[in-house]
Amino acid sequence: MRKFIFKSSGLALLAAGLAAVAAPKPNVLFIVVDDLRPQLGCYGDKQMISPNIDRLASEGALFDRAYCQVPVCGASRASLMTGLRPTPTRFVDYDTWVEKDAPDVADLPGWFLQHGYDTFSMGKVYHFYTDKKESWTQLGDTNITGKGWCDYQRTTPGMPGPSYESADVPDEKYCQSQIADAAIARLQKISLSGKPAFLAVGFTKPHLPFVAPKKYWDLYDHDGLKLAPNPFQPRGAPNEAMHNFDELRAFSDIPKGKAPIPDDLALSLIHGYYACVSFADAMVGRVLDELDRLGMQDNTIVVLWGDNGWQLGEHALWCKHDLFNTALHVPLMIRAPGIKPSRTDALVEFLDVYPTLCELAGIPSPGHLQGKSVVPLLHNPSASWKPAVFSRYRDGESVQTERYRYSEWKNGARMLYDHQNDPDENTNISENPENKTIIENMQQLLRENRETP
């Protein structure tokens, strides 16, 4: 009879390997909130009422300095979901289709589908509902009506209505509640399936129009709201940096042409934005509560992000569509099994989400990814990290470093802001002779980024 002798280290490795094989893959709850800027309680805002998102942030990793690749929803989502940077011809605007701009690339849900996951999409995940539909096991499983207050009231059929609305109706009259209902129903099915799932849930508020049940408006004292502290074009900023916020202009109660927004209307828009954030927060809370009720929280990775920033009158701008910090700075938080709560001010960008989820789920990353997994930051929030992150919009491109944001356009227009001395970006210092070396360094970073395969 032959004797087999194993060294203890060999037995340990064998046991670890068997445990890895036996361990179930974690689920992924992937929450995206449209036009959500990092003006939340967890980011230090004392006025915003966002207890559910704040709770998630307190239980996971909160990223203080996360940036989107493109300040518009369709292109931003496409970049994050594919792990590819935008270029002058790829992921350009809101009407981006991944299957047109990057048809042969495995997107995030498609990659998880290939690695044994069921994948589900609820609400607005891609800008176009059916984009990359082959990446989903099921593309929605609810009949969201789109009626009543689900979108907004139209005064004339086929024409935009007002930019905000405070209707004294229950939550379920709005599609945000219906999206939460669908996500809850899907979580219940996932809990019984015995198969890992990637569940993407996209809430459309606080995107325009600012429509939400009255009870969310009532959370805020209208008379206590304040206008943006810098409602002017930054000193020395080029005209290329500015825009006419046409997305807002389309609504029936907004001045046409290039007329400014009156202060009383601006306060109502700010009030509406806050109400919609609190409405979205309540729906996020419903989904998270169901995850906990089902006992799934210990085997589920939760990531929440806002697809781009948003202007509330800063720099005399509304919406996004520009290269200011208010349009590019975004909320990002990740809660994962075995990861302690933390907070980091490391520079991260949306490209980093795809490789991070792969690593957390224990699946390989595809070779085309251009981001960097932030899992090391989850374990050590003060770890040395990226020196710069990058964004672009149409013919402008921008780089953010620890201290500076620099942007330039094809025609030579440019702007530089020193966030140490000017965090609100009120004075463009790109033409100051003493900043020549800084400009050259930032331009070099942009060149290197363009050349990254």
Side-chain angles (χ1 to χ4, degrees), residues 34-35 148-154 160-166 174-176 204-213 217 247-248 250-254 268-269 272-273 275-277 279 310 320:
D34 212 336
D35 286 350
W149 291 275
C150 279
D151 205 5
Y152 56 94
Q153 294 292 289
R154 298 179 186 272
S163 58
Y164 63 91
E165 173 190 78
S166 173
Y174 288 84
C175 63
Q176 305 309 297
T204 55
K205 296 304 160 196
H207 192 288
L208 282 165
F210 299 144
V211 300
W217 288 74
E247 183 179 14
L248 179 60
F251 292 92
S252 61
D253 55 347
I254 302 299
S268 293
L269 292 171
Y273 183 89
C276 286
V277 169
F279 185 21
W310 224 84
K320 51 261 186 185

Side-chain angles (χ1 to χ4, degrees), residues 237-275:
N239 290 332
E240 288 80 359
M242 310 301 290
H243 59 85
N244 195 30
F245 44 92
D246 292 335
E247 183 179 14
L248 179 60
R249 295 277 185 199
F251 292 92
S252 61
D253 55 347
I254 302 299
K256 305 307 175 189
K258 296 185 178 181
I261 303 296
D263 286 354
D264 58 343
L265 177 56
L267 284 173
S268 293
L269 292 171
I270 291 169
H271 194 168
Y273 183 89
Y274 287 12

Side-chain angles (χ1 to χ4, degrees), residues 153-226:
Q153 294 292 289
R154 298 179 186 272
T155 54
T156 303
M159 297 296 291
S163 58
Y164 63 91
E165 173 190 78
S166 173
D168 193 5
V169 297
D171 289 0
E172 56 265 26
K173 290 291 185 178
Y174 288 84
C175 63
Q176 305 309 297
S177 181
Q178 297 172 25
I179 293 167
D181 289 343
I184 288 169
R186 177 51 61 183
L187 281 174
Q188 293 167 355
K189 294 176 182 177
I190 291 169
S191 71
L192 300 173
S193 71
K195 189 176 180 182
F198 181 104
L199 173 59
V201 184
F203 293 106
T204 55
K205 296 304 160 196
H207 192 288
L208 282 165
F210 299 144
V211 300
K214 180 177 179 294
K215 68 179 182 181
Y216 297 103
W217 288 74
D218 291 346
L219 293 173
Y220 299 93
D221 175 15
H222 184 85
D223 294 335
L225 301 177
K226 294 182 180 180

